[in-house]
Amino acid sequence: MVFYSVALKFNNRWSLVTEVQECRFINPDRHHQFLARAQARYALGRNWEAELGFTYFLQSPNDPKATERLAVPELRPHIQLSYAQPLGRVSISHRYRAEKRFFRNTSNGELAPGYNTNYRFRYKLGVAYRLTYLNDRPLKLEVSDEIHLNTGDKILYNHFDQNRIYAGVSYAASDKLEVSAGYLNWYQQRDAGNQFYNRHIVQLAISHNIDLSGKRREVVE
């Protein structure tokens, strides 16, 4: 899984975060998922942030050996609250997200008009520990666990959607660029309720931060 995000900071309160993500199977090499997301972020103060966003998601079959390779679109608006707890070398983060999911209908192996919908609630707990400094830049160990819960009239057996456990390292190469790599265990309940996917995923993420607040002040002055 490859993940790239850009955060544009307009001032001390407002920023815009855009993300793209591509996930592929290795054997055989097949597309699995594509995601594009944009979200407005507002700093509430005291390490709290609120976000309002929208995601375009493209899901190919979960079986990489499936003969039919229909990619099904999903539209996903969301609201989110995040809280960070700095504790010396350790930082603890909490993320609460509520999503409304619109899945494109399918018929006879093809996309059909209309969407079916449900809600999903997510909670992510993350811990980052600063291991050392490299060239005066922090190298961190990061671990997290995120649980997803489905709700809605059409959810019968899979109210528990999935759980994601991550462990990796991150390095701030500069004030604007951070790179992280690690392992993600993705455990997901299927629609029938008694079957599960258990994915072992290698993840590479690049985060780009661009501060426009200083440039805006220079223009005003």
Side-chain angles (χ1 to χ4, degrees):
M1 177 188 296
V2 179
F3 178 89
Y4 177 70
S5 68
V6 178
L8 300 176
K9 181 180 178 181
F10 301 113
N11 52 50
N12 290 334
R13 292 288 187 181
W14 287 100
S15 58
L16 177 67
V17 182
T18 57
E19 310 167 8
V20 291
Q21 176 182 297
E22 171 73 12
C23 187
R24 301 187 65 86
F25 294 106
I26 295 178
N27 186 24
D29 179 26
R30 291 283 184 90
H31 171 263
H32 185 207
Q33 297 172 338
F34 171 80
L35 178 150
R37 177 183 292 124
Q39 49 194 0
R41 177 181 294 167
Y42 181 75
L44 298 172
R46 296 189 177 182
N47 299 323
W48 281 96
E49 292 181 332
E51 294 181 349
L52 177 66
F54 184 84
T55 298
Y56 174 77
F57 187 74
L58 200 60
Q59 172 73 59
S60 292
N62 280 300
D63 182 0
K65 298 181 181 179
T67 55
E68 294 185 2
R69 300 302 302 170
L70 179 66
V72 181
E74 175 189 342
L75 308 179
R76 189 191 302 167
H78 75 268
I79 57 175
Q80 176 176 299
L81 283 174
S82 301
Y83 178 64
Q85 293 177 273
L87 301 169
R89 298 180 66 151
V90 178
S91 176
I92 302 175
S93 61
H94 306 263
R95 189 178 76 184
Y96 310 86
R97 180 181 292 179
E99 302 171 323
K100 175 71 170 178
R101 309 178 73 190
F102 296 84
F103 302 93
R104 182 69 179 268
N105 291 329
T106 61
S107 178
N108 299 320
E110 297 182 354
L111 298 179
Y115 292 82
N116 64 86
T117 70
N118 71 276
Y119 294 92
R120 187 168 69 179
F121 299 94
R122 302 166 56 167
Y123 169 67
K124 182 178 181 180
L125 173 64
V127 178
Y129 177 77
R130 190 181 73 245
L131 296 171
T132 186
Y133 287 96
L134 297 177
N135 298 321
D136 296 325
R137 300 289 179 181
L139 176 68
K140 298 179 182 179
L141 172 66
E142 297 181 337
V143 295
S144 65
D145 184 50
E146 183 177 20
I147 187 170
H148 302 57
L149 300 175
N150 291 317
T151 184
D153 295 338
K154 297 182 179 180
I155 302 299
L156 299 178
Y157 306 109
N158 61 327
H159 289 283
F160 165 77
D161 177 39
Q162 59 185 269
N163 192 71
R164 301 179 186 176
I165 298 175
Y166 171 81
V169 293
S170 68
Y171 177 64
S174 69
D175 293 336
K176 298 181 179 180
L177 191 66
E178 184 174 74
V179 180
S180 63
Y183 164 77
L184 177 68
N185 178 252
W186 191 329
Y187 190 73
Q188 183 176 23
Q189 188 175 27
R190 301 171 67 175
D191 292 344
N194 60 351
Q195 296 176 314
F196 298 84
Y197 294 112
N198 189 20
R199 309 286 190 200
H200 302 283
I201 300 172
V202 176
Q203 179 175 295
L204 173 65
I206 300 173
S207 301
H208 194 185
N209 299 303
I210 302 176
D211 190 347
L212 301 177
S213 58
K215 295 180 180 180
R216 292 170 64 90
R217 286 196 298 270
E218 290 176 4
V219 172
V220 172
E221 293 173 356

